[in-house]
């Protein structure tokens, strides 16, 4: 939990500025608050398999419930524990964000009115590293999104998307190959390398 959440924080600010700056960022950043609840919940799921950690569960599960419910009610952000979200995740806005039953790689970004989930009776999407997903995008179903892809605002994905493409429309179609999304991701090289190490650990 700690390593992944530090990677999330590094997407928003330079942690080397000091702990005070990090806490101020956390207090004002709805995405980080929602991610803290999610990271805690995923850690608790793993901890439930280790009997020596069971005494912590009765204390920590209520904390997870309060944090996750607060993010849902206050910001309308739902990061369900059925989702496997990689380190360095960035939530660019709040409101009607649903992430469940999917796998998301490292250093990805999403915005408001975004839904990423499985179809009602099937598997969820698998999203690579460094994928930028715009507002009102819908990725529902067993689709594969390649690393470094860009899903434009309002795009509805209905099939697999290759790496390094700009995808637009409903249904979503690649409109540009070898598209460089580093600028809109706002991803510094040192953050990229740190998050890659976190994903490997």
């Amino acid at each position: 939990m700690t390593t992944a959440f530090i990677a999330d924080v590094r997407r928003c600010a330079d942690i080397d500025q000091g702990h005070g700056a990090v806490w101020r960022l956390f207090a004002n950043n709805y995405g980080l608050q929602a991610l803290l609840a999610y990271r805690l919940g995923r850690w608790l799921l793993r901890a439930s398999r280790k009997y020596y950690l069971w005494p912590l569960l009765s204390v920590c599960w209520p904390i997870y419930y309060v944090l996750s419910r607060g993010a849902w009610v206050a910001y309308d952000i739902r990061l369900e524990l059925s989702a496997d979200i990689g380190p360095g995740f960035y939530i660019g806005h709040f409101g009607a964000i649903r992430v469940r039953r999917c796998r998301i790689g490292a250093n990805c970004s999403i915005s408001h009115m975004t839904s990423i989930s499985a179809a009602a009776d099937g598997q969820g999407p698998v999203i690579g590293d460094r994928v930028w997903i715009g507002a009102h995008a819908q990725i529902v179903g067993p689709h594969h999104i390649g690393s470094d892809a860009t899903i434009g605002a309002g795009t509805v994905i209905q099939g697999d998307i290759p790496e390094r493409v700009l995808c637009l429309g409903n249904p979503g179609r690649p409109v540009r190959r070898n598209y460089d999304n580093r600028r809109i991701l706002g991803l510094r090289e040192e953050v990229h390398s740190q998050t890659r190490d976190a994903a490997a650990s």
Side-chain angles (χ1 to χ4, degrees):
M1 172 189 167
T2 303
T3 304
F5 188 64
I6 288 174
D8 300 332
V9 172
R10 288 185 182 276
R11 284 296 308 277
C12 302
D14 188 353
I15 200 170
D16 296 328
Q17 292 176 355
H19 295 294
V22 172
W23 283 114
R24 285 193 299 273
L25 173 68
F26 173 72
N28 297 319
N29 191 298
Y30 34 79
L32 284 179
Q33 294 173 32
L35 279 165
L36 176 62
Y38 167 81
R39 300 294 183 199
L40 174 61
R42 292 281 291 187
W43 180 83
L44 289 169
L45 289 178
R46 293 191 295 272
S48 65
R49 298 193 292 267
K50 300 175 181 178
Y51 71 91
Y52 55 86
L53 293 176
W54 288 353
L56 288 175
L57 301 184
S58 61
V59 175
C60 292
W61 274 118
I63 295 173
Y64 161 75
Y65 179 81
V66 170
L67 291 174
S68 60
R69 181 65 60 160
W72 181 9
V73 172
Y75 308 125
D76 201 12
I77 299 174
R78 295 184 65 179
L79 307 178
E80 298 190 11
L81 298 184
S82 60
D84 182 4
I85 301 175
F89 196 59
Y90 180 77
I91 300 173
H93 212 291
F94 62 88
I97 293 173
R98 303 287 183 269
V99 180
R100 68 184 188 93
R101 291 177 60 194
C102 62
R103 190 165 78 235
I104 300 176
N107 293 322
C108 292
S109 295
I110 64 172
S111 194
H112 61 287
M113 303 292 289
T114 300
S115 180
I116 305 173
S117 69
D121 56 350
Q123 295 180 335
V126 177
I127 298 173
D129 298 333
R130 299 172 303 280
V131 175
W132 187 88
I133 302 168
H136 298 263
Q138 305 291 314
I139 307 174
V140 179
H143 311 306
H144 285 71
I145 311 297
S147 294
D148 303 295
T150 302
I151 310 300
T155 300
V156 178
I157 300 299
Q158 297 182 1
D160 293 348
I161 302 298
E163 297 181 352
R164 295 183 59 83
V165 302
L166 171 61
C167 183
L168 300 173
N170 181 9
R173 293 186 175 87
V175 298
R176 184 179 298 178
R177 307 280 178 176
N178 296 318
Y179 184 77
D180 187 352
N181 67 358
R182 286 176 296 181
R183 184 173 180 179
I184 59 173
L185 277 173
L187 188 62
R188 304 186 303 275
E189 184 59 33
E190 63 270 21
V191 173
H192 179 190
S193 61
Q194 290 162 356
T195 322
R196 183 180 56 222
D197 296 341
S201 63

